[in-house]
Amino acid sequence: RREGQDNVQQALMAAQLDAGGILLLQSRTGLGKNREIAELEKYLCRQHGWTICVARGGEADKALNRLANYPNNLQGKRLLLVLDDLHRRASAVDEDQEPYAERLAALLDYLAEQMKPGSLRVLATARSEPHHQKQLGFDQDQEPWQRFGLYELPEFTTAGLEHILIGLAERTDVPVDSDDVGQMVKNSDRTLRTLLDNVNFARRNNQPQTVDNWLPTQGESWDMRYREARGLYPGVQAVYESIHLIREAGLVTRSPYVAYLSSQLTGADTRSAVDGLIDMGLLGIRGGILDAFSDEQLVDSLQKTGGALPQMSGNWDRVIETITKVPEQPDGWLSDLVTLTERLNSVKQYEQSIAVAGIAVGQGADGADLYYNRGLARSETGDYSGAGKDFTAAIERNQDDTAVYISRAGTRFFTADFAGVEADLTVAI
Protein backbone atom coordinates (compact mmCIF):
# COMPACT_ATOMS: atom_id res chain seq x y z
CA ARG A 1 0.00 0.00 0.00
CA ARG A 2 1.85 3.04 -1.28
CA GLU A 3 0.83 6.69 -1.44
CA GLY A 4 -1.08 7.59 -4.58
CA GLN A 5 -0.40 4.27 -6.29
CA ASP A 6 -2.74 1.27 -6.26
CA ASN A 7 -0.49 -1.03 -8.31
CA VAL A 8 3.25 -0.31 -8.36
CA GLN A 9 3.93 -3.23 -10.72
CA GLN A 10 1.65 -1.80 -13.39
CA ALA A 11 3.05 1.68 -12.79
CA LEU A 12 6.61 0.39 -13.22
CA MET A 13 5.77 -1.34 -16.49
CA ALA A 14 3.98 1.74 -17.80
CA ALA A 15 6.87 4.02 -16.79
CA GLN A 16 9.35 1.70 -18.49
CA LEU A 17 7.37 1.69 -21.72
CA ASP A 18 7.02 5.48 -21.60
CA ALA A 19 10.81 5.71 -21.19
CA GLY A 20 11.47 3.56 -24.24
CA GLY A 21 12.29 0.49 -22.17
CA ILE A 22 15.09 1.89 -19.98
CA LEU A 23 14.10 3.01 -16.49
CA LEU A 24 15.84 4.14 -13.29
CA LEU A 25 13.85 3.37 -10.13
CA GLN A 26 14.79 5.66 -7.23
CA SER A 27 13.85 5.97 -3.58
CA ARG A 28 15.42 6.51 -0.21
CA THR A 29 16.91 3.56 1.63
CA GLY A 30 14.56 0.91 2.96
CA LEU A 31 11.48 1.41 0.77
CA GLY A 32 11.69 -1.95 -0.97
CA LYS A 33 13.04 -1.14 -4.46
CA ASN A 34 14.58 -4.58 -4.95
CA ARG A 35 11.45 -6.28 -3.65
CA GLU A 36 9.29 -4.49 -6.21
CA ILE A 37 11.72 -5.43 -8.98
CA ALA A 38 11.77 -9.07 -7.85
CA GLU A 39 7.97 -9.19 -8.08
CA LEU A 40 8.08 -7.60 -11.53
CA GLU A 41 10.73 -10.09 -12.66
CA LYS A 42 8.57 -13.03 -11.56
CA TYR A 43 5.56 -11.63 -13.39
CA LEU A 44 7.42 -10.94 -16.66
CA CYS A 45 9.17 -14.32 -16.54
CA ARG A 46 6.13 -16.45 -15.73
CA GLN A 47 3.39 -14.61 -17.57
CA HIS A 48 5.16 -13.24 -20.63
CA GLY A 49 8.23 -15.42 -21.15
CA TRP A 50 10.85 -12.76 -20.53
CA THR A 51 14.43 -13.76 -19.74
CA ILE A 52 15.88 -11.96 -16.71
CA CYS A 53 19.60 -11.08 -16.55
CA VAL A 54 20.88 -9.52 -13.34
CA ALA A 55 24.21 -7.72 -13.64
CA ARG A 56 26.66 -8.97 -11.04
CA GLY A 57 28.18 -6.48 -8.61
CA GLY A 58 31.55 -6.09 -6.93
CA GLU A 59 34.63 -7.10 -8.90
CA ALA A 60 32.52 -8.61 -11.68
CA ASP A 61 30.92 -5.24 -12.35
CA LYS A 62 34.29 -3.74 -13.21
CA ALA A 63 34.25 -5.84 -16.40
CA LEU A 64 31.03 -4.19 -17.58
CA ASN A 65 31.37 -3.27 -21.25
CA ARG A 66 30.45 -4.43 -24.74
CA LEU A 67 30.33 -8.25 -24.63
CA ALA A 68 32.79 -10.48 -26.47
CA ASN A 69 29.90 -12.62 -27.73
CA TYR A 70 26.20 -13.12 -27.21
CA PRO A 71 24.41 -16.40 -26.39
CA ASN A 72 22.63 -17.75 -29.45
CA ASN A 73 19.70 -18.96 -27.37
CA LEU A 74 18.89 -15.36 -26.32
CA GLN A 75 18.85 -13.82 -29.77
CA GLY A 76 15.39 -12.66 -30.74
CA LYS A 77 14.10 -13.15 -27.19
CA ARG A 78 12.66 -10.68 -24.73
CA LEU A 79 15.36 -9.69 -22.24
CA LEU A 80 15.17 -7.63 -19.04
CA LEU A 81 18.56 -6.47 -17.75
CA VAL A 82 18.56 -5.50 -14.06
CA LEU A 83 21.24 -3.20 -12.58
CA ASP A 84 20.66 -2.78 -8.84
CA ASP A 85 22.31 -0.03 -6.75
CA LEU A 86 23.57 1.82 -9.80
CA HIS A 87 25.00 4.56 -7.59
CA ARG A 88 27.52 2.11 -6.11
CA ARG A 89 28.51 0.78 -9.52
CA ALA A 90 29.02 4.22 -11.04
CA SER A 91 31.29 5.35 -8.18
CA ALA A 92 33.41 2.17 -7.94
CA VAL A 93 35.69 2.84 -10.92
CA ASP A 94 39.45 2.33 -11.07
CA GLU A 95 41.61 5.16 -12.36
CA ASP A 96 42.74 3.17 -15.40
CA GLN A 97 39.16 2.38 -16.46
CA GLU A 98 36.85 4.23 -18.77
CA PRO A 99 34.07 6.04 -16.90
CA TYR A 100 31.24 3.73 -15.91
CA ALA A 101 28.70 5.69 -17.95
CA GLU A 102 30.71 5.15 -21.15
CA ARG A 103 31.04 1.42 -20.53
CA LEU A 104 27.34 1.15 -19.73
CA ALA A 105 26.50 2.98 -22.97
CA ALA A 106 28.68 0.49 -24.90
CA LEU A 107 26.85 -2.45 -23.30
CA LEU A 108 23.41 -1.02 -24.05
CA ASP A 109 24.35 -0.31 -27.68
CA TYR A 110 25.68 -3.85 -28.05
CA LEU A 111 22.60 -5.49 -26.54
CA ALA A 112 20.19 -3.38 -28.58
CA GLU A 113 21.91 -4.52 -31.77
CA GLN A 114 22.29 -8.19 -30.80
CA MET A 115 18.71 -8.55 -29.57
CA LYS A 116 17.12 -7.75 -32.92
CA PRO A 117 14.38 -8.64 -33.63
CA GLY A 118 13.84 -9.28 -29.92
CA SER A 119 13.05 -6.78 -27.17
CA LEU A 120 15.41 -5.27 -24.60
CA ARG A 121 14.39 -3.54 -21.40
CA VAL A 122 16.66 -2.22 -18.67
CA LEU A 123 15.61 -1.65 -15.06
CA ALA A 124 18.11 0.00 -12.70
CA THR A 125 17.81 1.15 -9.10
CA ALA A 126 19.51 3.93 -7.14
CA ARG A 127 19.07 5.53 -3.76
CA SER A 128 17.90 9.13 -3.67
CA GLU A 129 19.80 10.40 -0.60
CA PRO A 130 22.18 13.27 -1.50
CA HIS A 131 25.47 11.40 -1.11
CA HIS A 132 24.15 8.49 -3.17
CA GLN A 133 23.06 10.90 -5.89
CA LYS A 134 26.59 12.31 -5.95
CA GLN A 135 27.90 8.74 -6.29
CA LEU A 136 25.60 8.18 -9.25
CA GLY A 137 26.54 11.37 -11.09
CA PHE A 138 23.26 11.23 -12.99
CA ASP A 139 23.00 13.85 -15.73
CA GLN A 140 20.04 13.45 -18.06
CA ASP A 141 21.75 15.62 -20.66
CA GLN A 142 24.62 13.13 -21.00
CA GLU A 143 24.93 9.60 -22.39
CA PRO A 144 23.81 7.08 -21.35
CA TRP A 145 21.70 8.79 -18.68
CA GLN A 146 19.58 10.58 -21.26
CA ARG A 147 18.23 7.18 -22.31
CA PHE A 148 16.84 6.54 -18.81
CA GLY A 149 13.39 7.47 -17.68
CA LEU A 150 12.95 8.16 -13.96
CA TYR A 151 10.41 6.64 -11.58
CA GLU A 152 10.36 7.55 -7.89
CA LEU A 153 8.99 4.74 -5.77
CA PRO A 154 6.08 6.02 -3.66
CA GLU A 155 6.29 6.02 0.12
CA PHE A 156 4.24 3.50 2.09
CA THR A 157 0.97 4.69 3.54
CA THR A 158 0.66 4.69 7.33
CA ALA A 159 -2.06 2.04 7.11
CA GLY A 160 0.15 -0.03 4.83
CA LEU A 161 3.05 0.07 7.29
CA GLU A 162 0.77 -0.90 10.17
CA HIS A 163 -0.48 -3.85 8.11
CA ILE A 164 3.11 -4.92 7.34
CA LEU A 165 4.21 -4.66 10.98
CA ILE A 166 1.31 -6.79 12.19
CA GLY A 167 2.03 -9.33 9.46
CA LEU A 168 5.74 -9.51 10.31
CA ALA A 169 4.97 -10.03 13.99
CA GLU A 170 2.48 -12.82 13.22
CA ARG A 171 4.90 -14.63 10.89
CA THR A 172 7.71 -14.57 13.49
CA ASP A 173 5.45 -15.34 16.49
CA VAL A 174 6.29 -12.02 18.15
CA PRO A 175 3.41 -10.79 20.34
CA VAL A 176 2.31 -7.22 19.56
CA ASP A 177 -0.62 -5.18 20.83
CA SER A 178 -2.51 -3.89 17.78
CA ASP A 179 -3.42 -0.75 19.75
CA ASP A 180 0.29 0.16 19.91
CA VAL A 181 1.09 -0.45 16.24
CA GLY A 182 -0.03 2.99 15.09
CA GLN A 183 2.24 4.73 17.62
CA MET A 184 5.22 2.59 16.61
CA VAL A 185 4.77 3.42 12.93
CA LYS A 186 4.37 7.13 13.69
CA ASN A 187 7.60 7.02 15.67
CA SER A 188 9.66 5.59 12.81
CA ASP A 189 11.45 6.46 9.61
CA ARG A 190 8.68 4.69 7.67
CA THR A 191 10.88 2.01 6.10
CA LEU A 192 10.45 -1.73 5.75
CA ARG A 193 13.92 -2.28 7.14
CA THR A 194 13.12 -0.55 10.43
CA LEU A 195 9.97 -2.66 10.87
CA LEU A 196 11.91 -5.84 10.15
CA ASP A 197 14.85 -4.88 12.40
CA ASN A 198 12.48 -4.27 15.32
CA VAL A 199 10.59 -7.54 14.92
CA ASN A 200 13.84 -9.50 14.57
CA PHE A 201 15.27 -7.76 17.65
CA ALA A 202 12.18 -8.69 19.71
CA ARG A 203 12.27 -12.26 18.40
CA ARG A 204 15.97 -12.76 19.23
CA ASN A 205 15.39 -11.47 22.75
CA ASN A 206 12.22 -13.49 23.20
CA GLN A 207 10.23 -10.32 23.91
CA PRO A 208 6.91 -8.94 22.73
CA GLN A 209 7.09 -5.93 20.39
CA THR A 210 6.21 -2.89 22.52
CA VAL A 211 6.46 0.89 22.39
CA ASP A 212 9.18 0.71 25.06
CA ASN A 213 11.58 -1.51 23.09
CA TRP A 214 10.82 0.11 19.73
CA LEU A 215 13.75 1.59 17.73
CA PRO A 216 12.50 4.36 15.40
CA THR A 217 15.36 4.09 12.88
CA GLN A 218 17.35 1.30 11.28
CA GLY A 219 19.40 -0.17 14.10
CA GLU A 220 19.63 2.93 16.31
CA SER A 221 17.36 5.25 18.27
CA TRP A 222 16.54 8.80 17.31
CA ASP A 223 18.58 9.98 20.32
CA MET A 224 21.82 8.44 19.07
CA ARG A 225 21.36 9.77 15.57
CA TYR A 226 20.48 13.27 16.72
CA ARG A 227 23.56 13.44 18.92
CA GLU A 228 25.67 12.30 15.99
CA ALA A 229 24.00 14.78 13.60
CA ARG A 230 24.53 17.72 15.97
CA GLY A 231 28.20 16.83 16.24
CA LEU A 232 28.66 16.52 12.48
CA TYR A 233 26.51 19.31 11.05
CA PRO A 234 26.09 22.82 12.49
CA GLY A 235 22.61 24.17 11.91
CA VAL A 236 20.59 20.99 12.52
CA GLN A 237 18.21 22.77 14.90
CA ALA A 238 17.67 25.60 12.40
CA VAL A 239 16.76 23.07 9.71
CA TYR A 240 13.94 21.67 11.84
CA GLU A 241 12.80 25.17 12.82
CA SER A 242 12.67 26.13 9.15
CA ILE A 243 10.58 23.10 8.24
CA HIS A 244 8.10 24.04 10.97
CA LEU A 245 7.89 27.70 9.91
CA ILE A 246 7.39 26.87 6.24
CA ARG A 247 4.71 24.35 7.21
CA GLU A 248 2.99 26.93 9.43
CA ALA A 249 3.01 29.39 6.54
CA GLY A 250 0.96 26.86 4.58
CA LEU A 251 3.72 26.30 2.03
CA VAL A 252 5.45 23.23 0.66
CA THR A 253 8.71 22.42 2.47
CA ARG A 254 10.85 22.33 -0.66
CA SER A 255 14.50 21.64 -0.03
CA PRO A 256 15.79 25.01 -1.38
CA TYR A 257 13.41 26.88 0.95
CA VAL A 258 14.52 24.91 3.99
CA ALA A 259 18.21 25.38 3.15
CA TYR A 260 17.78 29.14 2.56
CA LEU A 261 15.64 29.86 5.64
CA SER A 262 17.81 27.77 7.98
CA SER A 263 20.89 29.58 6.64
CA GLN A 264 19.19 32.92 7.42
CA LEU A 265 18.38 31.74 10.94
CA THR A 266 21.96 30.68 11.67
CA GLY A 267 23.91 33.13 9.51
CA ALA A 268 25.81 30.21 7.97
CA ASP A 269 25.37 27.78 5.09
CA THR A 270 23.26 24.82 6.28
CA ARG A 271 23.12 22.79 3.08
CA SER A 272 25.47 20.19 4.53
CA ALA A 273 23.13 19.84 7.53
CA VAL A 274 20.14 19.33 5.22
CA ASP A 275 21.97 16.68 3.19
CA GLY A 276 23.34 15.04 6.34
CA LEU A 277 19.93 14.69 7.98
CA ILE A 278 18.58 13.07 4.83
CA ASP A 279 21.55 10.72 4.56
CA MET A 280 21.18 9.67 8.20
CA GLY A 281 17.49 8.87 7.75
CA LEU A 282 16.35 11.65 10.09
CA LEU A 283 14.50 13.53 7.35
CA GLY A 284 12.76 12.29 4.26
CA ILE A 285 12.90 13.84 0.80
CA ARG A 286 10.65 13.11 -2.14
CA GLY A 287 10.41 15.07 -5.36
CA GLY A 288 12.51 17.83 -3.82
CA ILE A 289 10.18 18.16 -0.81
CA LEU A 290 11.90 17.81 2.55
CA ASP A 291 10.03 16.89 5.71
CA ALA A 292 9.93 14.97 8.97
CA PHE A 293 8.25 11.59 8.84
CA SER A 294 5.45 12.71 11.15
CA ASP A 295 4.29 15.71 13.18
CA GLU A 296 5.35 13.90 16.33
CA GLN A 297 8.84 13.38 14.98
CA LEU A 298 9.20 17.08 14.12
CA VAL A 299 8.40 18.09 17.69
CA ASP A 300 10.65 15.34 19.02
CA SER A 301 13.45 16.39 16.68
CA LEU A 302 13.46 19.96 17.92
CA GLN A 303 13.46 18.86 21.55
CA LYS A 304 16.42 16.56 20.93
CA THR A 305 18.36 19.35 19.21
CA GLY A 306 17.74 21.77 22.06
CA GLY A 307 14.91 23.78 20.53
CA ALA A 308 11.15 24.09 20.44
CA LEU A 309 8.54 24.86 17.80
CA PRO A 310 9.05 28.52 16.82
CA GLN A 311 6.08 30.87 16.51
CA MET A 312 5.09 32.51 13.23
CA SER A 313 4.76 35.91 14.89
CA GLY A 314 8.02 37.68 14.20
CA ASN A 315 9.01 35.20 11.50
CA TRP A 316 6.70 36.11 8.61
CA ASP A 317 9.28 38.48 7.10
CA ARG A 318 11.85 35.67 7.08
CA VAL A 319 9.44 33.31 5.34
CA ILE A 320 8.51 35.97 2.78
CA GLU A 321 12.19 36.63 2.08
CA THR A 322 12.83 32.91 1.73
CA ILE A 323 10.15 32.36 -0.91
CA THR A 324 10.77 35.56 -2.85
CA LYS A 325 14.58 35.57 -2.79
CA VAL A 326 15.57 31.89 -2.78
CA PRO A 327 18.51 31.63 -5.22
CA GLU A 328 17.50 28.20 -6.54
CA GLN A 329 13.89 28.60 -7.64
CA PRO A 330 12.32 25.12 -7.57
CA ASP A 331 9.54 23.74 -9.72
CA GLY A 332 6.30 25.10 -8.32
CA TRP A 333 7.89 28.39 -7.22
CA LEU A 334 5.31 30.63 -8.92
CA SER A 335 2.49 28.54 -7.48
CA ASP A 336 4.07 28.94 -4.02
CA LEU A 337 4.09 32.71 -4.45
CA VAL A 338 0.35 32.63 -5.16
CA THR A 339 -0.24 30.45 -2.08
CA LEU A 340 1.80 32.89 -0.01
CA THR A 341 -0.43 35.83 -1.04
CA GLU A 342 -3.46 33.88 0.17
CA ARG A 343 -1.80 33.03 3.49
CA LEU A 344 -0.70 36.62 4.03
CA ASN A 345 -4.26 37.81 3.45
CA SER A 346 -5.46 35.31 6.05
CA VAL A 347 -3.18 36.86 8.70
CA LYS A 348 -4.05 40.44 7.57
CA GLN A 349 -0.61 41.26 6.21
CA TYR A 350 -2.05 42.97 3.17
CA GLU A 351 0.86 45.18 2.14
CA GLN A 352 3.16 42.16 2.10
CA SER A 353 0.59 40.20 0.09
CA ILE A 354 0.45 42.98 -2.52
CA ALA A 355 4.24 43.04 -2.73
CA VAL A 356 4.49 39.26 -3.19
CA ALA A 357 1.75 39.34 -5.84
CA GLY A 358 3.70 42.03 -7.70
CA ILE A 359 6.77 39.77 -7.74
CA ALA A 360 4.69 36.87 -9.04
CA VAL A 361 3.17 38.96 -11.83
CA GLY A 362 6.63 40.27 -12.73
CA GLN A 363 7.88 36.69 -13.03
CA GLY A 364 5.09 35.69 -15.42
CA ALA A 365 2.34 34.37 -13.15
CA ASP A 366 -1.04 35.15 -14.68
CA GLY A 367 -3.66 33.07 -12.91
CA ALA A 368 -7.07 34.12 -11.66
CA ASP A 369 -6.24 33.17 -8.05
CA LEU A 370 -3.30 35.56 -7.99
CA TYR A 371 -5.33 38.55 -9.19
CA TYR A 372 -8.19 37.69 -6.85
CA ASN A 373 -5.84 37.49 -3.84
CA ARG A 374 -4.22 40.81 -4.73
CA GLY A 375 -7.64 42.35 -5.26
CA LEU A 376 -8.66 41.35 -1.73
CA ALA A 377 -5.46 42.82 -0.29
CA ARG A 378 -5.85 46.07 -2.23
CA SER A 379 -9.46 46.37 -1.04
CA GLU A 380 -8.28 46.11 2.57
CA THR A 381 -5.70 48.85 2.06
CA GLY A 382 -8.25 51.20 0.43
CA ASP A 383 -6.95 50.88 -3.14
CA TYR A 384 -10.42 50.26 -4.57
CA SER A 385 -9.54 51.21 -8.13
CA GLY A 386 -6.60 48.77 -8.21
CA ALA A 387 -8.66 46.09 -6.48
CA GLY A 388 -11.44 46.44 -9.06
CA LYS A 389 -8.96 45.96 -11.89
CA ASP A 390 -7.62 42.81 -10.21
CA PHE A 391 -11.11 41.36 -9.74
CA THR A 392 -11.85 42.10 -13.40
CA ALA A 393 -8.62 40.34 -14.36
CA ALA A 394 -9.69 37.30 -12.30
CA ILE A 395 -13.08 37.23 -14.02
CA GLU A 396 -11.41 37.51 -17.44
CA ARG A 397 -9.36 34.43 -16.47
CA ASN A 398 -12.52 32.42 -15.88
CA GLN A 399 -12.97 32.85 -12.12
CA ASP A 400 -16.73 32.79 -12.39
CA ASP A 401 -18.07 32.52 -8.86
CA THR A 402 -20.19 34.55 -6.49
CA ALA A 403 -17.31 35.78 -4.34
CA VAL A 404 -15.43 37.59 -7.10
CA TYR A 405 -18.53 39.47 -8.27
CA ILE A 406 -19.47 40.49 -4.73
CA SER A 407 -15.88 41.60 -4.12
CA ARG A 408 -15.85 43.70 -7.28
CA ALA A 409 -19.23 45.15 -6.39
CA GLY A 410 -17.70 46.37 -3.12
CA THR A 411 -14.87 48.17 -4.91
CA ARG A 412 -17.32 49.73 -7.37
CA PHE A 413 -19.46 51.01 -4.49
CA PHE A 414 -16.48 52.89 -3.03
CA THR A 415 -15.65 54.39 -6.43
CA ALA A 416 -19.31 55.45 -6.88
CA ASP A 417 -19.86 53.14 -9.88
CA PHE A 418 -23.37 52.22 -8.75
CA ALA A 419 -24.46 50.81 -12.10
CA GLY A 420 -21.48 48.49 -11.89
CA VAL A 421 -22.44 47.53 -8.34
CA GLU A 422 -25.96 46.65 -9.50
CA ALA A 423 -24.60 44.62 -12.46
CA ASP A 424 -22.18 42.60 -10.33
CA LEU A 425 -24.70 41.87 -7.61
CA THR A 426 -27.23 40.80 -10.22
CA VAL A 427 -24.73 38.27 -11.57
CA ALA A 428 -24.00 37.11 -8.00
CA ILE A 429 -27.70 36.69 -7.25
Side-chain angles (χ1 to χ4, degrees):
R1 305 178 187 179
R2 296 185 185 270
E3 293 177 355
Q5 189 57 257
D6 293 330
N7 191 318
V8 171
Q9 301 297 306
Q10 290 182 2
L12 272 175
M13 287 192 289
Q16 195 171 45
L17 289 174
D18 290 343
I22 302 180
L23 186 70
L24 177 62
L25 171 64
Q26 294 193 121
S27 79
R28 63 188 177 92
T29 306
L31 287 192
K33 293 183 291 299
N34 290 334
R35 179 65 184 180
E36 294 290 359
I37 288 180
E39 292 295 322
L40 182 59
E41 288 170 352
K42 285 197 297 184
Y43 172 76
L44 290 174
C45 188
R46 292 174 180 174
Q47 302 296 323
H48 297 282
W50 283 74
T51 298
I52 314 298
C53 287
V54 181
R56 294 176 64 186
E59 290 299 314
D61 196 54
K62 293 182 179 179
L64 182 85
N65 212 317
R66 188 183 302 270
L67 302 181
N69 54 63
Y70 191 78
N72 291 331
N73 65 328
L74 290 183
Q75 288 181 338
K77 301 287 187 179
R78 292 189 280 186
L79 176 69
L80 173 66
L81 173 65
V82 177
L83 294 152
D84 64 329
D85 286 342
L86 196 56
H87 54 284
R88 297 186 190 276
R89 300 169 184 270
S91 63
V93 178
D94 292 337
E95 292 182 4
D96 58 347
Q97 280 188 302
E98 287 182 299
Y100 189 87
E102 293 181 17
R103 293 184 288 119
L104 179 57
L107 174 63
L108 297 181
D109 288 339
Y110 175 86
L111 290 176
E113 182 62 32
Q114 293 295 316
M115 287 297 302
K116 293 177 181 177
S119 299
L120 171 68
R121 293 188 193 173
V122 179
L123 189 53
T125 68
R127 294 178 182 175
S128 58
E129 290 88 347
H131 79 274
H132 290 310
Q133 289 292 291
K134 291 172 186 174
Q135 281 181 300
L136 179 61
F138 187 87
D139 183 351
Q140 215 158 14
D141 293 329
Q142 301 293 326
E143 276 288 329
W145 306 127
Q146 60 188 204
R147 309 184 198 190
F148 281 81
L150 287 175
Y151 180 79
E152 192 162 0
L153 188 64
E155 296 273 339
F156 291 103
T157 63
T158 299
L161 288 167
E162 292 174 2
H163 177 78
I164 291 168
L165 180 55
I166 291 171
L168 286 170
E170 288 178 350
R171 290 180 62 180
T172 52
D173 294 323
V174 171
V176 63
D177 189 335
S178 59
D179 292 337
D180 292 336
V181 167
Q183 183 59 39
M184 294 176 195
V185 167
K186 282 184 178 180
N187 186 27
S188 79
D189 59 4
R190 309 299 178 93
T191 65
L192 285 178
R193 190 169 300 170
T194 289
L195 304 189
L196 187 59
D197 284 351
N198 273 281
V199 172
N200 281 338
F201 179 81
R203 178 180 57 81
R204 287 194 302 269
N205 289 278
N206 198 27
Q207 295 176 336
Q209 184 68 70
T210 67
V211 172
D212 292 334
N213 63 13
W214 179 259
L215 295 174
T217 61
Q218 297 168 30
E220 296 176 351
S221 68
W222 292 123
D223 289 341
M224 292 177 64
R225 293 206 170 190
Y226 284 125
R227 284 197 295 271
E228 184 181 356
R230 291 181 71 182
L232 291 172
Y233 310 112
V236 166
Q237 179 181 324
V239 170
Y240 285 108
E241 289 177 347
S242 299
I243 289 173
H244 174 69
L245 289 172
I246 294 168
R247 275 179 162 198
E248 285 294 290
L251 299 165
V252 179
T253 52
R254 305 189 196 277
S255 185
Y257 300 159
V258 175
Y260 184 89
L261 179 54
S262 56
S263 295
Q264 299 306 304
L265 292 173
T266 62
D269 192 338
T270 58
R271 284 175 294 184
S272 62
V274 171
D275 288 351
L277 288 168
I278 298 168
D279 287 337
M280 294 177 68
L282 292 169
L283 286 177
I285 187 167
R286 178 165 179 77
I289 297 172
L290 185 69
D291 214 342
F293 299 111
S294 67
D295 295 340
E296 293 86 352
Q297 190 224 340
L298 182 57
V299 175
D300 197 35
S301 304
L302 275 165
Q303 290 175 344
K304 285 181 169 59
T305 55
L309 292 177
Q311 301 300 311
M312 282 305 299
S313 57
N315 281 301
W316 271 108
D317 287 345
R318 284 196 174 105
V319 172
I320 294 169
E321 179 185 352
T322 295
I323 308 303
T324 57
K325 295 184 179 180
V326 61
E328 180 189 342
Q329 295 167 357
D331 293 339
W333 177 63
L334 286 178
S335 176
D336 293 338
L337 288 175
V338 176
T339 301
L340 183 57
T341 62
E342 182 179 346
R343 291 291 293 125
L344 288 169
N345 284 349
S346 72
V347 293
K348 301 183 179 181
Q349 297 204 30
Y350 302 115
E351 295 288 355
Q352 293 91 329
S353 177
I354 294 168
V356 171
I359 293 171
V361 171
Q363 292 295 322
D366 193 46
D369 288 347
L370 175 60
Y371 287 106
Y372 180 66
N373 292 342
R374 187 169 69 175
L376 292 175
R378 282 176 163 173
S379 291
E380 294 293 340
T381 61
D383 179 9
Y384 301 115
S385 176
K389 292 176 182 177
D390 279 338
F391 293 137
T392 298
I395 292 169
E396 289 172 347
R397 287 156 181 79
N398 299 317
Q399 182 166 343
D400 188 27
D401 57 35
T402 304
V404 69
Y405 285 101
I406 291 177
S407 297
R408 190 170 68 173
T411 64
R412 286 177 166 178
F413 178 85
F414 284 108
T415 56
D417 178 9
F418 301 118
V421 173
E422 182 179 11
D424 280 343
L425 292 181
T426 299
V427 173
I429 291 167

